[in-house]
Amino acid sequence: MSRGTFRFSLASLVCFGLQALPVSVLAEMAPLGDDALSDVSGQGGIYLSGDISINEVGGPVENSYFGRCEEQDKKCGARFAYRLKEDGGWMVLDEIRGKFSFEGLTLRVRSIDSGFGGDGEVFDRDVIELGLPDTVRFSDVQFKLAASSTARPTDPGFQQTDIFAIEMQGDVVMQGNLLVFPDGNP
Amino acid sequence: MTNVRRGPRQLMNGLRALPLMCFAAAGYGDMRQLDDTALSRIQGQSGITLEMDLNMAADSLSYYDDGQAVRLEGFKVGSSESPGQGALHRTRIDIGADASLNLEYLVEDRRIEFSDIRLAGAPGLSMGGVFFDHSLEGMLTIRQGGAVGGNGYTFDTAYTMTGGRLGYRTNGNAVFLDDITMSVEALGVTLDVVGNTLELVSPMVKGNWSVGAIRFSDNPVYHGASSGPGGVPLASYGALESSFELSSRTGITAGGRQGQGLRIDHETTIHTASFLYVDDGNALALRDITGNYRIHDLRLDVDEDWEGRAAVALTLGKLDGQVNIGAVELGSGGLSFGSVNLSFVLEDHVFNGRGYTNALYLQGGGHPDAGPQGLRLATEWSLRLADLSYTEDGNRVIISGLQSWGRGDVTVNVTRDEVRNGTRFYDGLRVGFDGLKAGYRINGLRVGSDDAPLQGGTELLLALGVYPAYEFELDGHVTLGAGGASGDGLTINSDIYIRDGKAAVIAAPYDEGNGEIPQKGLWLTEMTYEGHVRNMTVDVTEEGLVMETGEAWSDMDVGNVRVGTSTDGASFGRLKLQSFEQGSSMVISPGGAGNVCVGGTGSSSSSCSDSGGSWEARGEEGVTIAMKKILARAEGPDKRNAVLWETNRVVDGQGKAINGTGTQLLINDIHTSDGGDFNGDGIDDNTYGIRTDLAVDIYQTKVTKKDSGPDSRGVVGSRGDEKIMDPNAPQGYRYVSEPGQAELVNRPLGFAVKAETRFKELSINNIDLIHRNGGAQTAVFGAKLQNFDIRANLTATPIP
């Protein structure tokens, strides 16, 4: 119970911190080498590697619309629908599938009070540091953007217009750190 | 018993006379002239045989300490099977050729009972009553000469107890251990006076015991019976079994913490032991237990606690030791989670500028609405240091530098399902918390050995629902009822309230080797929490430990989410998390992921390699968790799944942000569904929920250097080099550009997690933006996620 809620909150916080990140700080920040961290206290953290796949062989729903991936007439990807207007239509990300692999995503809390070409001394505060993995590998990542009359594809009167489809394959190089910290009036 | 003799010689004399006093006291209860028939039952071929039916009662037995008294009231000894009748006692007394006193004894169906334990200084309150039924057969040999000289004594004893019951009663309700059997052999036990201390040394005590059932009774008519109306056995929490071989030394000295009282020093070595909890034939087994502990300067007084309340005071100087559990087994397959080791030191220490000690003040009363009988434990503890390690398949991770402190009241009542004096009670043993201010913190993780470098990674404990550091003020209760989902087991009802909480989500060490420093991290502060659980059953089954929750809801309101320290870290604002679940469940079973193909596909090493993956044999031990979380639709503002984030709040005169005065983002009524109304009851079915299967192992992980040059510990390497553990390296590791097979087996240890999460439908009813003056505006009129199956193979490695 609490684990689920925590994950949600942490993800939210990351997003919030990104939104709050001042542009000036982003512009001046430069990578800080491991040696520069040697005199920084409280820097223990975790190092994450692995792979995550979405609907590799299908999802748990089996009905007239969803099925296993070997069933040619069924959709085996995940589906996300939302609407911005009461009684309006639904924007849909449909047939979401794919696999992401990464190595070396780090997470820690860190104090920045030096470095960064002098900006660190001015900055002088604690941050959550997400050390980005060098490479994130996308394998058969795909989804469709669509507009739908109903949230569920099995609801009466269901109609859907696929707008475009995305497929991603290959490596994305992500170097450096993502720093998340509070700003503004809490 | 009304006066305590102070000197050890007097104590020794008293103990010499103790066996005689016991027989004398027993005799007083039923002494009469023996007729010829009765005399014929005394068999004196080689000694004397005494036989009697003992039935005695005393209104009160009192113990005085510095003029303050504790009383055992309603004291009775008699037959457990025939109330009002005597219990048979037969003792054969013989003097051996070496002048030893040999006693062989038999006691049948004896009940020793007292209805209340009261303190003279707390009239009207009782700690409750205790009863102890048993049949006993054994021998005791006493001979002159102890361990240090001729003035002491040496004892050999062995006995078997059968048909035992040990119960605790409050207000007509009872929890008792039923069908206890126990066999104990202790040879060469010595009793000496050493200085001013009476010293009892047991070189080897061997034994085993079992409890057939732990039962709950809410019907005083069937007091002390295993069955209730209609002969139906009372509900049971399960059964227990244990065996042990240990040796011990105990010193008893006159004098309490203040004035009269008792001082106890004790040490025990556990050579081997096992402990099993059995639920309908399925066992949770702790095997190959070894360890030792030492109690230094434990004092017993009749005294007052810090609030001036009369109490039996147990105050501790120091307790330290270590316990190793060789295997924790669960389920029918005989699989093991691995082994666990705990070392600990309990002694006075200063936490957050305040000194804490270890003390327990036993008082009468319990929860004030539950009735006059109950137990109140005014408690203070100071766990100065503990290390907890977990080893599976030979790989070890140590939770290092665990500290805990606290002070407050814990209440214990046996309650029944009722509303009494305005408070809702449930069937079972109720453990209540009353203004308990407590906390704990963890310094970090060590991997491999106790002297390995301290590393981070304590946030990995969040996966077990444990914060790396937590301070709180706690009220509420947990009531443990008898009977699980079927047959034996536990049923839990609880209501927990937390105020002034400070919980770390990410925490750096509080001591990096140079003394205490403020612990930095990501903190949830100014937290209030309210959590309720109804009818959660816990059973040990063939599959593992199964927990099924009838209904659970909670509300966690975090005043500030801070980065930095818990007191002055910058804040992201307020965060409020509400959860509401119905019918959720969890199964915990031993054994981890087994063989895994990471980054590829294949069911063998070769096929995995062919697909570009890495084949990992993670062994037979580990932990597997299968969860089903059913998020229910909202039933009002208190029972719903929702997330609220608030910023830009108005501050009060002390600069503290006032909740509800800012701008809020509300994600409202998050709930699961099966995707339709398939049973035709007019509402969507909700039985599938969010299902997650987790297999966790401690395993070697690949860690590569992210930048060229020296790292935070000065170890030099190039970008992309692998970290290889090397005990001969100054920092315990080095970087290797192309590790060979011999080096790959020394990759650092971490947590390997194989996970799969799937749900049919997860919905959000609405997402609102709320202005303190303008009110709520809905931004998203519903969102629906369908048909998700997310699989992950992750390794999480602590790093310095």
Side-chain angles (χ1 to χ4, degrees), chain B residues 257-553:
Chain B
R257 191 69 61 190
Q258 295 174 351
Q260 294 178 330
L262 206 62
R263 168 177 172 158
I264 297 170
D265 296 272
H266 175 85
E267 60 183 66
T268 286
T269 299
I270 304 168
H271 302 291
T272 182
S274 65
F275 178 84
L276 281 77
Y277 167 72
V278 183
D279 176 353
D280 295 318
N282 300 302
L284 167 62
L286 311 181
R287 300 192 190 278
D288 303 328
I289 303 171
T290 58
N292 57 73
Y293 63 87
R294 288 157 294 281
I295 298 171
H296 174 71
D297 193 15
L298 172 65
R299 305 277 182 143
L300 173 67
D301 296 85
V302 182
D303 203 350
E304 294 179 342
D305 72 356
W306 51 79
E307 291 186 5
R309 298 172 295 188
V312 175
L314 291 163
T315 53
L316 178 68
K318 183 178 180 181
L319 167 62
D320 68 283
Q322 64 91 23
V323 177
N324 189 74
I325 301 171
V328 182
E329 297 175 358
L330 182 65
S332 60
L335 292 174
S336 170
F337 289 106
S339 64
V340 177
N341 180 277
L342 173 68
S343 63
F344 54 90
V345 180
L346 286 152
E347 66 178 348
D348 296 359
H349 193 67
V350 175
F351 295 100
N352 298 330
R354 177 181 169 180
Y356 287 84
T357 188
N358 290 286
L360 192 61
Y361 294 87
L362 282 73
Q363 303 164 28
H367 190 284
D369 292 335
Q373 289 184 316
L375 198 57
R376 179 168 288 266
L377 310 171
T379 309
E380 182 171 323
W381 73 90
S382 169
L383 176 63
R384 188 178 66 76
L385 189 63
D387 285 348
L388 175 65
S389 73
Y390 172 56
T391 306
E392 65 103 353
D393 291 311
N395 300 320
R396 185 176 181 215
V397 168
I398 303 157
I399 298 169
S400 180
L402 170 64
Q403 295 183 320
S404 178
W405 60 94
R407 187 180 195 181
D409 285 6
V410 176
T411 61
V412 180
N413 292 85
V414 187
T415 57
R416 72 184 67 166
D417 191 14
E418 63 178 342
V419 176
R420 184 167 183 169
N421 299 320
T423 300
R424 182 77 170 85
F425 294 101
Y426 301 89
D427 282 344
L429 185 70
R430 183 186 193 277
V431 180
F433 310 102
D434 193 352
L436 190 68
K437 293 183 179 178
Y440 69 82
R441 60 189 181 189
I442 297 166
N443 204 31
L445 299 181
R446 296 181 195 273
V447 179
S449 62
D450 293 319
D451 56 357
L454 187 71
Q455 302 189 4
T458 53
E459 45 275 11
L460 296 171
L461 297 171
L462 288 165
L464 303 174
V466 176
Y467 295 113
Y470 199 6
E471 292 176 45
F472 51 84
E473 185 170 342
L474 175 66
D475 292 290
H477 77 100
V478 176
T479 301
L480 306 173
S486 63
D488 294 354
L490 268 69
T491 298
I492 298 174
N493 288 280
S494 75
D495 298 280
I496 295 294
Y497 304 89
I498 286 174
R499 302 187 299 276
D500 297 329
K502 293 178 187 173
V505 176
I506 302 172
Y510 61 78
D511 186 341
E512 295 175 320
N514 300 311
E516 283 191 22
I517 54 175
Q519 202 168 13
K520 290 192 173 182
L522 177 63
W523 291 88
L524 312 178
T525 68
E526 291 96 30
M527 181 213 290
T528 61
Y529 173 84
E530 181 178 332
H532 310 273
V533 174
R534 296 290 177 268
N535 297 320
M536 182 172 102
T537 57
V538 181
D539 292 271
V540 178
T541 70
E542 290 184 355
E543 290 77 31
L545 189 68
V546 179
M547 288 171 275
E548 297 178 347
T549 305
E551 185 173 273
W553 69 101

Side-chain angles (χ1 to χ4, degrees), chain A residues 1 3 53 55 81 152 175, chain B residues 463 627 629 684 761 789:
Chain A
M1 176 176 60
R3 179 163 56 246
S53 68
N55 288 42
R152 290 174 180 152
Q175 291 185 343
Chain B
M627 289 181 289
K629 298 171 72 68
D684 284 352
E761 189 171 289
D789 183 334

